Amino acid sequence: MADPFEVRMRFTTQLQHLNASVTSAQKAANYALKYRDMDEDLHSCILEQLEKNNMNNRANIMYFIEHLCDLSQRESHPSFTAMIQRDITHIVDAVAPPDGSGAANVKVARKVLTSLQSKDVLSVTTISELSERLDARDTLGGKGGDGGEGDLEVANGIDAPGAPSGVGSLGGRISVGSTPTVRNGMARLDKRQVEQRIEEDRERGKRQREMYWAVSGEGDDEFDRMWEETVDVNEDDFLLMTEEREERVEIAGAS
Amino acid sequence: MYLRSPHAYSPNPYHQNPYPPQGHPPPPYYQNQPPSQYGPPPHQSQPGYSNQPYGRGRGNYRGGNYGGPPDNRMPPQTSSFAPPQAQRSSKTGHFTNLSWTPATGRRGGHAVGDTKSQAGDQPASQPRQSSEGPGEEDDNPFRPSKDLRVEDESNKNDVTKQQDDTAPSHMPPPDRPNSNEHGDGSKISFAIKSKAPAPTHASKIDLAATKIASRPLASVSAPLPSSRSTSDSRSDRRSDDRRPSYRSEARDYRYDYKNDTRHTRHPGPKPVPRPKPKQKRIEKRTVKRRKPRPQLSPDCAASDSVYYRKTGNESVIGSGTYGKVYKAVHVYTKEKVALKKIRMEGERDGFPVTAIREIKLLQSLRHENVVRLQEVMVEKNDCFMVFEYLSHDLTGLLNHPSFQLDHAHKKHLAKQLFEGLDYLHRRGVLHRDIKAANILISNTGLLKLADFGLARFFAKRRQLDYTNRVITIWYRSPELLLGETQYGPAVDIWSAACVLVEIFTRHAIFPGDGGEINQLDKIYSVLGTPTTSAWPALKALPWFELLRPAERKAPAFANEYRKKLTPAAFDLLAAMFQFDPQLRPQASDVLEHPYFTTEEPRPRQVWELQKLEGDWHEFESKALRKEKDRAEKERRAREREREREKRKLEEGGQGGREVKKVRGLEGGEGTTMEMS
């Protein structure tokens, strides 16, 4: 029996070092399931890390949750999913805090929520509730100058870059609809973090693109898709024909 | 030794002669061709049909396909004109058979080499004799469809055999070291087929890529009418040049034979009458003697490769992550080429897929403002893409110390840029790396888009996700910087607009520090921060929140650039530098802008470049800058040195008393003052 403290420590480290790769998320999920008897402990680790780390990390943990749910469903150990269902509001608030600091994570949260719904981890009603919550945060800051020319999209908080004041800040300042002059970001990511996030998002995009061309292969799927995409003869076809013709003439004329 | 990938570059039409005349007897064989063309007697198999493995041939002879001047492989001769038999056979409708009859070696094989051998020399063509036929023609895109081909296979074998038999007698071995010999060592055959068969409905599929792949296939069935008409014209021309009748008789005889065999469709090999080849041989010999032996410069003669390049880094004209680009010259034709070496270091998965993508793309493109890929060759374990060589690129030209472009020149360059771009976009290609250094300019002022390493086909009627890590960052559009993955041709328009500014002002408009954040800042400080009213999709961009600007900025573009540009040019640029990609004009719209259509002066080609000394690429201008920096440094070092010497002298003179005071003063005066 592994030392519970050590398990906790290791799991925490893994969460802190999650990156955009699927492997890192899966590794952590596997670890969690390996010590499933300590699931409650580990779940609390997740919540704790969600509040402690910077926004990039929170996004990564959010993506990790998706993997964890996947795996616990597959391994028939529903307690992880159950706890996530229970705490999902808390989790979403930590990933995309309402104070605007996590605005960049709103899209992440939405994406993961949608996929959790498709995996039947979350109910439609929960999703729509959470989605409404997020709506407000999404438009935060930018909302300020809705009228007229005032809709310049700028972040008004020029906070000192650096570590985000890492709190879930559930009870934080709700600055929805704040005017442009009010700082909206409690913790803007510093430059390095922004760049890291960009790279991580690209990495995730790469993974997604690996599969986007795939078709189920059942029935007429592939045919239907092709059929849909087929268009009438148009100028593109004529262009190709013209080129072919030119080529022919050129060759024929070469004699 | 290199193997030219047979059809590595589909656009090069000289390579084969895919459109045989129909309804006319096939053109005569080489009898009437200029001597140079068939220095080596053909002993290839029928090129068009062969699907023998490449292995049989070492691939190719040196130099073949050039997009050079049209050759005479269709001999001007009347006699070819419809011998009755031939015509009869044509009625049977065997278009393909007929058309390929002459392939007893001539057509496919030699078509390519003709230009070169004319320019040049026999050695060039020698390697052909044994190797090139089958390999080369293997994926002839124009070859007849399978059912038409079947009967020909046997024939081909005949011919091959027959020629093999006769070959030695009239083919002297190469007497010079040349690539052929080197070729023996390499077994690598490198063929990228641009002409993958596509599903029948492929041509209608939205994906441009699919379309292109299927294009050559379509041509198999399509070309009948036009090929007929072209053959007519050929025949006409042929009639000017009559040859002794015995030749045509010989030929006709052969035709008869061939046609007959085809009709009978024997699956197996046919008995081959001997006399025919002999006659052929005689003709060839005569011809061969007339050809003087070519003289190669010692450099070229010593060259291992058919493309001679100076050793070491001397021939490098560009380098980047993709590898290096060399300037080289074809040893026989003297044609200049740019060799892009495909970097294999660190490629764990074999030949880089990105290179395949680039080659495939280039093969399908055919436009005067798009650089032409001539061939792909493998040589000493390196793979090269062989391009036409252009003396300058835009960066090099704009940084030229003295050469100045006037307004008409600039307009002509701009016009060509957008014509090239318009072509790419119509063909469903995103370039994704438009920048001044990737725009080549010939010494006659022709502009060509180059470096398709990041290019891809895009779906015109569907929006797919692509990576946003494309385009050199100074030229990257705001939507890409903000993480858009569903983008389209508008990203190239943005880049082109940046290039346009450089053409006009010689300076990059958004010279950032290489990071996304700074790049956006640079854009915002010229164009102002974007607004949702001007760009509704702004907030939906993945990194909009992440990269949200800290403060508002007002647009400064008008202030800064209105005075530097003509009114129409300013207007055009303002239209292209719109944040919302949907509002940017397409390349075709750009070409209809008043800047091109009405505003004076009219575009004028930069012929003056012919007088310009040297080649000007980004690479050279960088080297020049480095050289200057170095010279400057040296000069300073020398000055310091001189001062030190001076000081020493003075110190010596004064017994080192007043060392401190001497610094930097003109010798005598300083010392006098001090001494006084």
Side-chain angles (χ1 to χ4, degrees), chain A residues 56 100 103-105 107 137-143 145-146 148-158 180 184 188-195 197-199 201-203 206 208-209 212 223 225-226 229-237 239-240 243-255, chain B residues 10-11 13-14 16-19 70-74 142 199 201 203-206 211-212 215-216 218-219 223 226 230 234 237 364 366 372 423 426-427 456 460-462 464-469 476 485 513 515-517 529-533 538-552:
Chain A
N56 282 349
N105 279 350
K107 290 192 179 74
R137 295 168 205 179
D138 211 0
T139 50
L140 197 116
K143 267 276 191 251
D146 256 349
E149 287 181 40
D151 61 346
L152 282 170
E153 293 298 340
V154 293
N156 299 289
I158 319 173
N184 74 330
R188 263 171 74 73
L189 297 169
D190 72 11
K191 195 179 155 193
R192 200 184 47 75
Q193 284 175 346
V194 169
E195 278 165 0
R197 176 60 170 274
I198 287 176
E199 285 309 312
D201 279 356
R202 280 176 177 155
E203 183 63 30
K206 219 191 278 176
Q208 277 165 6
R209 275 193 303 277
Y212 81 89
F223 175 80
R225 205 157 135 176
M226 248 172 199
E229 289 158 7
T230 300
V231 292
D232 287 341
V233 173
N234 58 27
E235 75 261 28
D236 295 342
D237 301 287
L239 178 64
L240 287 180
E243 274 182 36
E244 275 170 28
R245 192 181 152 278
E246 279 168 10
E247 214 166 315
R248 280 198 299 278
V249 168
E250 195 174 327
I251 289 157
S255 60
Chain B
S10 58
Y14 301 104
Q16 58 258 358
N17 196 346
Y19 304 109
D71 49 71
N72 304 340
R73 71 190 102 111
M74 295 303 191
F142 303 105
H201 53 281
S203 65
K204 300 297 300 299
I205 286 177
D206 185 30
K211 240 181 222 180
I212 279 142
R215 163 178 157 220
S219 68
S226 102
T230 50
R234 252 183 238 143
R237 227 174 300 158
S364 75
R366 181 186 170 77
R372 178 95 85 142
Y423 172 74
R426 271 186 297 131
R427 284 292 303 273
R456 67 161 295 147
K460 281 194 179 180
R461 284 161 201 83
R462 254 184 322 157
L464 297 175
D465 275 299
Y466 311 125
T467 173
N468 56 42
R469 200 203 314 245
R476 202 178 292 168
T485 53
D513 70 357
E516 278 83 358
I517 304 171
T529 41
T531 66
T532 31
S533 56
L538 175 61
K539 282 187 198 166
L541 290 168
W543 300 329
F544 162 66
E545 289 292 346
L546 199 65
L547 296 169
R548 191 183 272 239
E551 51 182 0
R552 276 183 215 179

Side-chain angles (χ1 to χ4, degrees), chain B residues 415-491:
Chain B
K415 187 157 177 273
Q416 294 180 83
L417 165 62
F418 284 99
E419 275 167 354
L421 212 48
D422 178 43
Y423 172 74
L424 292 185
H425 291 168
R426 271 186 297 131
R427 284 292 303 273
V429 173
L430 298 178
H431 186 284
R432 305 201 297 182
D433 201 11
I434 297 283
K435 58 174 172 177
N438 282 343
I439 294 173
L440 304 181
I441 296 168
S442 80
N443 58 5
T444 53
L446 286 180
L447 174 148
K448 293 179 196 255
L449 301 175
D451 195 347
F452 284 70
L454 285 176
R456 67 161 295 147
F457 289 110
F458 69 97
K460 281 194 179 180
R461 284 161 201 83
R462 254 184 322 157
Q463 188 58 68
L464 297 175
D465 275 299
Y466 311 125
T467 173
N468 56 42
R469 200 203 314 245
V470 287
I471 306 184
T472 304
I473 200 160
W474 287 7
Y475 300 82
R476 202 178 292 168
S477 64
E479 70 268 24
L480 284 174
L481 291 165
L482 289 170
E484 183 60 280
T485 53
Q486 307 197 328
Y487 54 85
V491 299

Side-chain angles (χ1 to χ4, degrees), chain B residues 384-401:
Chain B
F384 295 90
M385 296 164 72
V386 183
F387 293 96
E388 56 184 324
Y389 178 79
L390 286 89
S391 313
H392 317 287
D393 68 30
L394 197 52
T395 309
L397 213 55
L398 294 173
N399 287 329
H400 191 278

Side-chain angles (χ1 to χ4, degrees), chain A residues 15 41-52 61 65 83-84 86-88 90-91 94:
Chain A
L15 290 179
D41 256 2
L42 296 179
H43 181 72
S44 72
C45 278
I46 297 175
L47 296 186
E48 195 184 295
Q49 290 307 313
L50 269 177
E51 300 196 347
K52 268 189 183 166
I61 293 175
I65 284 173
M83 284 184 289
I84 285 163
R86 187 188 68 205
D87 293 332
I88 190 69
H90 188 110
I91 292 171

